[in-house]
Each structure stands twice: as C-alpha cells, then as structure tokens.
C-alpha cells in the first residue's frame, strides 16, 4: 500500500533502472522505506555501501535522515555504521546505505529488499558566538550516564 505524505514537502526523485521508489507503508509511518538496488551478501562484521538507485532533491531548510530498520537489526543483526546518516539539501548523488552485519551468520539481501528508512526533518542553522564562560545548570559538566538510569 502506498501512503502519500501530507506534510507538503516535495522531494524530487530520479530513479536508476530497477530502483524502488521510497514510500510510507502506513499512515503513521515516520520514515519511508529505502530498498537495495542490487543483491548484496554481508559476512559477519562486514560492512558495505549498498546502493539504492535514488538521487533526490531535498528543499533548503530540510535534511534527509537515513536510519536503520529495527526488523533487520532484531532478525539478522544488521545495522548502519553511521546512524542516522544525513543527506544535505545540496547533495545530488546517489543515496547509499552503509550496512554492517553484527550477527553471527552471513546475510543475503536481494534487490528491492527494504534496508533502511528515510525521514525528512527541518534543520535550524546556528550562529556560533564565542564567549568566555557558559551559564551554570543543575547538570553542569556531567555526561555519559551522569543523570542515572
């Protein structure tokens, strides 16, 4: 079932031969499924750049976030090396997904298999201002688990 987005953000897409158009699978889906555009085999701890056959134009003020699929992680131990991956609004090359097999067994993916999710998000651009000190907070410099479980 193809579910049309309702956010009003238009994404232009160029599909390579055999590529699958990204789509939302349910009305509540946050991400569109990205599919492999070639057969891939990943051995234990092997990582590969998997092509999707897609090139897209994201409007200025937005980014595309490429995220792993939870089902592949649970069933096969597949994840992404850089997650989320960011697609900038001025990038026009093919989208590739860097997958890694963290499972014990080799994993074979077929062309057309769903390998990741693509979420579009607004981006705020920051202006950095150099100061001599920062305001104090209750947390302070505590990090990496300092707030408890």
């Amino acid at each position: 079932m193809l579910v049309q987005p309702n956010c009003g953000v238009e994404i232009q897409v160029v599909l390579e031969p055999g590529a699958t158009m990204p789509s939302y699978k349910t009305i509540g889906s946050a991400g569109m499924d990205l599919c492999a555009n070639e057969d891939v085999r990943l051995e234990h701890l092997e990582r590969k750049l998997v092509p999707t056959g897609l090139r897209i134009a994201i409007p200025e003020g937005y980014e595309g976030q490429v995220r792993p699929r939870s089902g592949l992680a649970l069933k096969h131990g597949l994840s992404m090396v850089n997650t989320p991956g960011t697609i900038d609004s001025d990038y026009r090359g093919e989208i590739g997904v860097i997958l890694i097999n963290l499972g014990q067994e080799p994993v074979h993916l077929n062309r057309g298999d769903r390998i990741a999710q693509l979420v579009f998000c607004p981006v705020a651009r920051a202006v950095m201002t150099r100061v001599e000190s920062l305001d104090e907070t209750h947390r302070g410099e505590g990090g990496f688990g300092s707030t408890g479980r």
Side-chain angles (χ1 to χ4, degrees), residues 7-106:
C7 64
V9 177
E10 179 182 347
I11 306 296
Q12 296 175 343
V13 180
V14 173
L15 293 173
E16 299 296 326
T20 304
M21 178 70 86
S23 65
Y24 297 102
K25 295 301 182 204
T26 70
I27 197 73
S29 295
M32 303 177 108
D33 287 320
L34 290 176
C35 298
N37 198 36
E38 64 182 36
D39 294 346
V40 175
R41 180 183 171 94
L42 288 153
E43 300 293 333
H44 169 66
L45 295 180
E46 184 178 15
R47 67 182 180 273
K48 285 187 180 174
L49 179 63
V50 181
T52 64
L54 303 173
R55 292 184 296 121
I56 62 176
I58 301 172
E60 188 175 328
Y62 289 87
E63 69 162 329
Q65 293 182 1
V66 181
R67 302 177 183 181
R69 296 194 69 241
S70 58
L72 289 177
L74 178 64
K75 295 174 186 172
H76 303 289
L78 284 184
S79 191
M80 290 174 43
V81 176
N82 64 322
T83 179
T86 296
I87 304 170
D88 296 309
S89 64
D90 58 352
Y91 178 68
R92 294 297 183 267
E94 181 178 3
I95 297 172
V97 179
I98 307 169
L99 291 180
I100 186 166
N101 180 1
L102 300 173
Q104 299 300 314
E105 301 298 323

Side-chain angles (χ1 to χ4, degrees), residues 123-134:
V123 174
R125 293 192 49 106
V127 175
M128 304 296 279
T129 303
R130 185 175 181 168
V131 297
E132 295 301 317
S133 64
L134 302 175

